[in-house]
Amino acid sequence: MPERALPTLSTVIAAASAALGRAGVASPRVDAELLAAHVLGVSRARLLTASATAPQVAEIERLVARRAERVPLQHLTGAAPFYGLELEVGPGVFVPRFETELLVEWALARLGSAGRVVDLCSGSGAIALAVATQRPDSEVYCVERSESALPWLRGNVDRLAPRVRVVEADVRDDAFLSGISGTADMVLCNPPYVPEAAPVDVEVAEHDPHEAVFAGGDGLDLMPAVARAAARLLRPGGRLAIEHDDTQGESLPALLLAAGGFDEVEDHRDLAGRPRFTTARRTGGAVAWQDGSP
């Protein structure tokens, strides 16, 4: 019998896109193309002129089947793009989202020369590494407590910016980085902030670490500790930026103002017009929280 003809790459991608669409994946065509590009070792733009061998077609189909089960795309490729970087990610670490690039843009626009920056709840290191690679004159610290996230963080730092300092600590601990208290120019943070009852995508619910996503009934459980740590670390005039849930555009600024020690508190929206992150300036005054709660 004649050997069965191998389907063209465009046919494989079309079938993959249809399968992912039926599975409820938000961007089926994009994901199908990215998986194909990953297997072939080419850029997505090169797919129009690329071809696939039988083993490569089988591998694309295997990965598409896993993506149809809502395994995150980044877990299948092993990488998450962020601010021009390729971060290694996988089970145990939060996958960075492009919305957080807006916080990085804000920080870079305001960071002076040779700035000292602390990234709290660092996860994969996305924020810290974006700042460190864009501003090689800066002194950057990553703070993370999760035993499952730390290997990913250390691996990304070692590969992309070895001078960045990784600190294993909980933001609720008042002792970490005590040697630089009152000297940081900027504290940045993408903490867990989703309210426990909020609906989330399957990829988030089943694959992102719960402690990296959810933070109590209103999603604000960790915010007092973040603000208290920032108040201790920042010099007077230093800047704070915290990403938040789109339901917290008023509650987080109000929380910072109630604490004292900050002024110029402002909320910022993302490209879709949703509240996305809050910024503030350290005044040097005392803050109201001494026990981790407002």
Side-chain angles (χ1 to χ4, degrees):
M1 293 181 64
E3 189 172 314
R4 182 181 176 186
L6 191 66
T8 64
L9 183 58
S10 61
T11 300
V12 172
I13 292 174
S17 178
L20 296 180
R22 291 192 296 271
V25 172
S27 52
R29 180 74 187 192
V30 171
D31 284 25
E33 291 179 353
L34 289 172
L35 289 173
H38 168 69
V39 172
L40 270 58
V42 300
S43 68
R44 187 178 165 203
R46 293 279 304 279
L47 289 174
L48 286 174
T49 58
S51 59
T53 65
Q56 287 173 330
V57 169
E59 178 64 5
I60 292 169
E61 291 174 343
R62 184 187 73 83
L63 292 178
V64 167
R66 294 195 67 202
R67 183 70 185 99
E69 296 171 352
R70 306 300 290 274
V71 176
L73 172 71
Q74 297 86 350
H75 285 196
L76 299 175
T77 64
F82 186 84
Y83 214 83
L85 304 173
E86 286 287 323
L87 298 167
E88 293 181 352
V89 296
V93 69
F94 180 78
V95 175
R97 271 60 168 180
F98 76 91
E99 293 92 343
T100 306
E101 293 185 358
L102 296 174
L103 185 152
V104 172
E105 289 279 6
W106 177 91
L108 291 172
R110 290 156 181 82
L111 184 61
S113 61
R116 175 172 281 169
V117 181
V118 180
D119 175 26
L120 302 177
C121 306
S122 195
S124 66
I127 292 174
L129 290 167
V131 171
T133 53
Q134 290 294 313
R135 295 296 301 273
D137 58 337
S138 59
E139 179 183 320
V140 181
Y141 297 80
C142 296
V143 179
E144 177 56 58
R145 74 165 190 164
S146 168
E147 292 183 359
S148 63
L150 278 163
W152 296 105
L153 173 59
R154 291 191 173 111
N156 285 323
V157 166
D158 289 345
R159 185 170 51 88
L160 297 171
R163 62 187 177 77
V164 170
R165 305 180 193 185
V166 176
V167 179
E168 182 177 355
D170 191 321
V171 297
R172 292 167 290 197
D173 179 0
D174 290 334
F176 73 88
L177 287 176
S178 58
I180 65 166
S181 291
T183 67
D185 298 290
M186 195 166 281
V187 171
L188 309 173
C189 186
N190 181 14
Y193 56 64
V194 177
E196 286 285 350
V200 296
D201 292 338
V202 175
E203 290 85 346
V204 176
E206 297 185 3
H207 297 280
D208 273 327
H210 187 276
E211 69 171 359
V213 176
F214 298 96
D218 59 4
L220 295 172
D221 275 10
L222 201 62
M223 297 302 187
V226 170
R228 190 173 73 253
R232 175 174 61 83
L233 292 167
L234 287 168
R235 61 170 175 77
R239 300 282 176 170
L240 167 65
I242 310 174
E243 186 169 317
H244 61 68
D245 188 70
D246 59 13
T247 63
Q248 298 160 356
E250 296 182 0
S251 55
L252 180 55
L255 185 149
L256 290 176
L257 286 169
F262 295 99
D263 65 6
E264 298 182 17
V265 177
E266 180 182 1
D267 202 66
H268 305 258
R269 295 180 177 266
D270 61 21
L271 298 179
R274 296 168 298 198
R276 180 53 54 200
F277 66 99
T278 296
T279 61
R281 186 181 74 99
R282 180 72 168 110
T283 63
V287 294
W289 302 320
Q290 299 300 324
D291 61 355
S293 60

